[in-house]
């Protein structure tokens, strides 16, 4: 447990310190990429604000797990904004829409983690264990 906490802390520090380097590696960022990262950051912010880094990354990974599943849309925006009838897959979408949250530390961290996970989701540990759903109250993933 201690080792995993240190590993997560190191990951967060890496992301925060190397944010510009991570951005620079994606010098062919398209408008679609920017939009996908923005929507992923919103999802991290509204679903995992106040959670540890592992929980924030798990929320992002659930989105990519859905994209790769075949039963969900093939884009971050499509997955996050998907509705089944009148029910949003992510409840915050129905409550607040895609409005930008206040410019605070949680939003800044969400943006940086979103960009990091967007470009590296295939290479980092899957904290969601392949889950397609999670419970918001405790951010427990449901297999």
């Amino acid at each position: 447990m201690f080792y995993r906490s240190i590993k997560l802390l190191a990951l967060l520090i890496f992301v925060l310190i190397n944010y510009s380097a991570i951005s620079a590696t994606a010098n062919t960022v398209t408008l679609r990429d920017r939009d996908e990262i923005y929507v992923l950051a919103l999802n991290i912010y509204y679903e995992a604000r106040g959670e540890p880094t592992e929980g924030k990354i798990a929320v992002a990974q659930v989105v990519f797990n859905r994209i790769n599943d075949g039963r969900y849309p093939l884009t971050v925006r499509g997955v996050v904004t998907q509705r089944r009838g009148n029910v949003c897959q992510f409840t915050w979408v129905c409550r607040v829409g895609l409005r930008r949250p206040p410019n605070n530390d949680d939003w800044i961290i969400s943006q940086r983690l979103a960009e990091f996970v967007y470009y590296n989701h295939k290479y980092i540990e899957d904290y969601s264990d392949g889950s397609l759903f999670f419970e918001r109250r405790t951010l427990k993933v449901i297999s």
Side-chain angles (χ1 to χ4, degrees), residues 10-112:
L11 175 63
L12 180 59
I13 290 169
F14 172 82
V15 170
L16 293 175
I17 290 173
N18 294 300
Y19 176 65
S20 59
I22 292 166
S23 298
T25 61
N27 25 347
T28 57
V29 177
T30 64
L31 288 176
R32 180 177 179 257
D33 289 335
R34 288 179 195 253
D35 181 65
E36 295 281 278
I37 292 165
Y38 174 76
V39 173
L40 189 60
L42 287 172
N43 203 43
I44 292 169
Y45 179 82
Y46 286 114
E47 292 290 344
R49 179 182 49 208
E51 295 290 335
T53 303
E54 181 181 32
K56 290 176 172 67
I57 292 173
V59 164
Q61 289 170 323
V62 164
V63 172
F64 286 103
N65 293 342
R66 287 182 178 197
I67 289 169
N68 294 326
D69 182 70
R71 293 177 286 176
Y72 296 90
L74 299 175
T75 64
V76 171
R77 178 179 279 276
V79 167
V80 171
T81 61
Q82 184 181 26
R83 294 175 185 245
R84 299 273 167 114
N86 289 331
V87 178
C88 290
Q89 292 293 300
F90 295 94
T91 56
W92 67 267
V93 175
C94 285
R95 284 195 326 259
V96 298
L98 298 178
R99 289 190 310 256
R100 185 171 177 231
N103 201 11
N104 58 32
D105 290 344
D106 287 327
W107 173 236
I108 292 166
I109 289 170
S110 296
Q111 291 176 88
R112 291 180 179 179

